[in-house]
Amino acid sequence: MQASPSPTAQRIGVPRETFAGEKRVATVPEVVQKLVALGFSVAVEAGAGEAAHCSDDAYRAAGAEVLPDAAALWAASDIVFKVRPPSAAEVALMRPGGLLVGFVWPAQHPELMAQLAARQATVLAIDCLPRTLSRAQKMDALTSTAGVSGYRAVIEAANAFGRYFNGQITAAGKVPPAKVFIAGAGVAGLAAIGTAANLGAIVRANDTRAEVADQVRSLGGEFVKVDYEEDGAGGGGYAKVMSEGFQAAQRRMYAEQARDADIIITTALIPGKPAPKLITAEMVQSMKPGSVIVDMAAEQGGNCELTVPGEAVVRHGVTILGFTDLPSRLAKQSSTLYATNLLRLAEELCKAKDGVAVVNMEDDAIRGLTVVKAGEITWPAPPLKAAPAPAAARPAAAPVAEKKAGGHGHGSAGPLPAKTLAILFAVAAVAFWFIGAYAPAAFLGHFTVFVLACFIGYMVVWNVTPALHTPLMSVTNAISSIIAIGALVQIAPPQAAANGRPDGLILWLAFAALVLTAVNMFGGFAVTRRMLAMFQK
């Protein structure tokens, strides 16, 4: 039985989305239980989750109250969780001084910002989250949504394409694999690369940010580089607007890929700006009949000149998909991920777990999200504070020169002079001659093996990947425990029958050596096994 919220607890309201074609919902029954555990009460508009396969009964079972209509929901809610930006009619229903959380896109909706400020609202725009903060990744709904969109874009392309993605050889003939080109390797692009590669297609991708090349290859794609040196990394993990020279070189590369590709998926977007035009009408005309273009930037105007937002059209024999509702086409998955992002945000707002959200403007993540605070527009947020620079290392003291005969000095940390090295080699040579002249022959044999073992062991370890040094050394220790044989010989020497047992001190020392080497032996192999298991899937 769930505990009832405290009298001061706030109510989170989840209305039905009114945007045409939107099937997502801002929270799901599984997350409602966790919001209640934070001390909040939760209300859901009747039918809000139907399109995402979340029934009213499931919400009730999770502890939410189901209210009959939007007016009742907005009036009863201290905090409103939404997916799409609210309409003017929804803003009018909002409780004065309430808290709104959802996608707002303040740069594209100045009128909406003014309406929310007039209601004395506090607004947290999930699209304004500072994505460079590692602790904010759990709240990054843009990444969650983009991953779903990239996956769904490949599924839509496969549906519109007239062949298999993977190559096949059958009795009826050979089917070549589909060639997929993906423009933009952000989160959505990487999701599309992984999905298309898993379906068996030949995948190529391009991005203005050179650092994503390794990510493309790791997912099974080939990174196509533009023949122009310029870095496209922008602030906050986004790409920047490139120079005219780079764009001309990029257009030439896209034209080549369009002639060869069966499917093109475009994902290029720059925050606050219309989608850049990457695929021209001439490129579309050069594509093979039956090819497919999925324009994921259709809602912002599209990356293809012939895209019609919200529709699938055929131009020059090429199907161009301009769907603007890709996340809604996986409504259940999108809603679950988005609800989890908002749950993590609620945990940050309600650290006391008393059902009261506190908007802490000293928190960099919360400050970045807050676009309106108690009726005052606070967007855009100030730049993030730079991380404190590491303390500079204290400079080492200058070596003190030692005066030598003749007035020359050598630093104490410098290389040895030639005269000193010659003396050392001479002493070593004399020592080796002395050992060779007077040491027993057996000693010389053992000494030679020792020197060679040291050299070979050093070279073996030197050429091993550093990540494997720990398991290598642990197994080396285990193998080196062959010295246990020496302890066994001392405990029961071959001549024991003729000469009697060794004295007590030697016996106990041998026994102790045997115990310690046994621990080293079995422990070394155990550590090696555990370390190597970390590198296995």
Side-chain angles (χ1 to χ4, degrees):
M1 185 175 179
Q2 296 174 346
S4 59
S6 66
T8 59
Q10 294 175 318
R11 171 176 286 186
I12 296 175
V14 181
R16 180 200 291 259
E17 296 295 322
T18 59
F19 189 86
E22 183 57 70
K23 298 179 181 179
R24 290 173 292 173
V25 64
T27 197
V28 295
E30 297 83 358
V31 173
V32 166
Q33 296 176 339
K34 298 174 182 178
L35 291 172
V36 172
L38 287 175
F40 296 103
S41 62
V42 180
V44 180
E45 182 182 348
E50 284 181 357
H53 306 291
C54 298
S55 67
D56 292 345
D57 289 339
Y59 282 114
R60 290 190 185 96
E65 180 183 1
V66 178
L67 299 180
D69 53 39
L73 187 284
W74 283 87
S77 302
D78 304 292
I79 305 169
V80 175
F81 283 180
K82 269 189 61 61
V83 180
R84 292 276 185 169
S87 64
E90 289 176 314
V91 174
L93 295 174
M94 187 175 183
R95 176 184 293 184
L99 174 62
L100 174 67
V101 181
F103 286 102
V104 177
W105 307 108
Q108 289 89 346
H109 301 104
E111 299 86 0
L112 173 61
M113 294 285 285
Q115 293 169 4
L116 291 167
R119 299 292 291 180
Q120 298 299 305
T122 296
V123 182
L124 303 186
I126 201 70
D127 48 277
C128 292
L129 180 75
R131 302 174 78 184
T132 54
L133 292 175
S134 59
R135 56 178 290 266
Q137 292 177 359
K138 61 186 178 182
M139 302 178 277
D140 190 357
L142 281 174
T143 295
S144 301
T145 303
V148 173
S149 298
Y151 174 88
R152 185 67 191 196
V154 176
I155 302 304
E156 294 293 341
N159 182 59
F161 191 48
R163 293 204 323 262
Y164 293 131
F165 262 44
N166 61 320
Q168 294 188 12
I169 298 177
T170 68
K174 180 180 179 181
V175 178
K179 296 179 180 178
V180 179
F181 177 70
I182 296 172
V187 176
L190 292 173
I193 292 167
T195 306
N198 288 337
L199 288 175
I202 297 173
V203 184
R204 300 187 182 98
N206 167 260
D207 197 278
T208 58
R209 297 159 292 188
E211 68 267 17
V212 304
D214 290 338
Q215 300 177 45
V216 170
R217 298 187 188 100
S218 70
L219 291 170
E222 174 190 348
F223 187 78
V224 183
K225 191 175 184 299
V226 177
D227 189 17
Y228 194 96
E229 293 299 327
E230 183 177 352
D231 186 15
Y238 295 96
K240 70 176 183 180
V241 179
M242 305 301 289
S243 67
E244 188 56 41
F246 182 93
Q247 293 181 33
Q250 187 182 53
R251 284 191 291 271
R252 289 193 294 271
M253 183 270 289
Y254 282 156
E256 295 175 3
Q257 294 298 323
R259 288 191 293 270
D260 186 53
D262 299 303
I263 296 169
I264 295 178
I265 299 174
T266 64
T267 70
L269 278 176
I270 298 173
K273 297 181 180 293
K277 299 299 181 185
L278 304 179
I279 308 299
T280 64
E282 290 77 12
M283 295 179 193
V284 175
Q285 191 169 4
S286 72
M287 296 180 71
K288 293 170 283 190
S291 298
V292 178
I293 296 175
V294 182
D295 194 340
M296 295 182 62
E299 194 165 357
Q300 301 299 324
N303 295 137
C304 177
E305 288 183 348
L306 303 181
T307 295
V308 178
E311 298 183 19
V313 297
V314 179
R315 299 287 185 268
H316 308 294
V318 177
T319 302
I320 304 173
L321 306 180
F323 299 142
T324 58
D325 61 343
L326 289 175
S328 282
R329 291 172 182 249
L330 285 172
K332 177 65 173 179
Q333 183 67 73
S334 299
S335 299
T336 301
L337 292 174
Y338 183 64
T340 302
N341 294 139
L342 296 192
L343 170 65
R344 302 307 172 206
L345 174 57
E347 291 173 345
E348 292 294 315
L349 296 174
C350 184
K351 294 183 177 180
K353 297 185 179 180
D354 57 357
V356 178
V358 177
V359 179
N360 179 14
M361 299 294 275
E362 299 299 320
D363 185 314
D364 286 339
I366 303 303
R367 176 62 189 90
L369 288 168
T370 307
V371 296
V372 182
K373 178 68 185 301
E376 178 185 355
I377 296 178
T378 58
W379 181 86
L384 294 176
K385 299 175 183 176
R394 183 175 297 177
V400 179
E402 297 179 1
K403 291 186 178 180
K404 305 291 183 181
H408 298 288
H410 301 281
S412 59
L416 292 175
K419 184 177 180 180
T420 304
L421 284 175
I423 294 173
L424 290 176
F425 275 111
V427 171
V430 171
F432 277 112
W433 174 83
F434 183 81
I435 293 172
Y438 295 98
F443 175 81
L444 286 177
H446 291 313
F447 184 73
T448 302
V449 171
F450 173 74
V451 172
L452 290 175
C454 290
F455 175 76
I456 294 173
Y458 173 80
M459 294 305 296
V460 168
V461 174
W462 182 264
N463 288 288
V464 170
T465 302
L468 295 175
H469 278 179
T470 299
L472 173 68
M473 295 308 297
S474 61
V475 77
T476 302
N477 286 338
I479 296 172
S480 68
S481 296
I482 196 172
I483 59 175
I485 295 174
L488 291 172
V489 170
Q490 289 299 324
I491 291 176
Q495 67 274 22
N499 301 331
R501 307 290 297 177
D503 60 41
L505 179 60
I506 294 177
L507 183 64
W508 284 109
L509 287 176
F511 178 76
L514 184 61
V515 171
L516 293 176
T517 51
V519 171
N520 192 47
M521 184 184 303
F522 292 106
F525 281 117
V527 169
T528 302
R529 183 174 180 180
R530 293 191 64 180
M531 289 293 298
L532 293 178
M534 296 172 61
F535 295 91
Q536 298 173 352
K537 293 184 179 179

